[in-house]
Amino acid sequence: MARPKKKSSAARDGELSFGQVVGAFGVDGELRVHLHNRSSTLLHGGGDVVLAGPKGERETVQLMTRGGTGGRVLARVRGVKTPEQAVAWLDWEILIPTSMLPELPDGEFYHHDILRAMVLDDQGKPLGMVTEIHDHGTVEVWVIKTPKGEEVYFPVLLDNLVEVNPALRRIVLKAGVIHCE
């Protein structure tokens, strides 16, 4: 069975997809947004972001988010005051500079730091590259594209990791946890 195609992000180097505008809210021009991390408060105080449109257009705006009822996340774009103005942003992607992200403690990393990371086993054998990350709550799953172009789904368990080095975009796994020829 074929997997559905994922929409690619409009993020450029130094940018990260933070979410997407999914609708208008109320009569004052607020937006309903889907954030990849719904609990994020990063933009509660507001910040400059890039909104990237479905046709490739890009606009830097000041965006402020807040929690709404029923787990919704709402946002306000400076200067947008009507529902008609808000609807114009429908389906636009919210991009933030990676420099806006808070520092993480040692041993933790952001997904964008390991996407496209080379994967090796602890014997130095190349296993492939991380092409997707699926976060299912209890166990994260990395999709690793092997040198032959096959996709391997790897459930990330600490016992199988030897090293994750985001700075070098290198991941080392115990030999034998992924079989590829």
Side-chain angles (χ1 to χ4, degrees):
M1 174 162 96
R3 291 191 347 239
K5 291 192 186 259
K6 291 179 71 171
K7 179 184 176 255
S8 63
S9 173
R12 296 178 180 165
D13 283 343
E15 293 177 336
L16 178 68
S17 178
F18 194 66
Q20 185 170 359
V21 177
V22 295
F25 179 81
V27 295
D28 293 326
E30 283 189 293
L31 308 171
R32 284 188 305 113
V33 296
H34 165 78
L35 300 182
H36 300 307
N37 176 1
R38 181 184 290 189
S39 63
S40 175
T41 59
L42 190 62
L43 292 173
H44 276 21
D48 289 337
V49 302
V50 172
L51 292 181
K55 296 178 183 171
E57 58 270 59
R58 295 168 63 88
E59 190 164 336
T60 300
V61 300
Q62 188 170 60
L63 184 87
M64 182 182 295
T65 61
R66 69 177 180 89
T69 60
R72 288 190 180 111
V73 179
L74 304 175
R76 180 170 295 284
V77 172
R78 177 175 277 172
V80 173
K81 301 192 183 307
T82 69
E84 294 77 20
Q85 289 173 312
V87 166
W89 296 109
L90 183 63
D91 293 330
W92 285 54
E93 184 177 16
I94 303 165
L95 306 172
I96 63 169
T98 54
S99 61
M100 187 183 279
L101 295 171
E103 290 290 320
L104 293 174
D106 285 342
E108 292 189 31
F109 46 84
Y110 288 108
H111 285 178
H112 73 274
D113 289 330
I114 60 168
L115 280 169
R116 295 180 306 282
M118 294 307 302
V119 182
L120 312 164
D121 70 15
D122 57 6
Q123 306 299 308
K125 178 182 176 186
L127 300 174
M129 179 177 21
V130 177
T131 58
E132 295 177 41
I133 299 170
H134 300 278
D135 192 349
H136 296 288
T138 56
V139 176
E140 201 168 86
V141 176
W142 295 344
V143 179
I144 300 172
K145 190 169 193 174
T146 69
K148 287 190 171 183
E150 298 169 335
E151 289 185 336
V152 175
Y153 289 76
F154 175 70
V156 181
L157 302 172
L158 291 178
D159 289 346
N160 294 329
L161 293 174
V162 175
E163 175 189 30
V164 177
N165 188 327
L168 296 177
R169 286 203 191 273
R170 184 181 73 201
I171 298 168
V172 180
L173 305 178
K174 287 184 179 176
V177 297
I178 291 182
H179 300 285
C180 62
E181 299 304 320

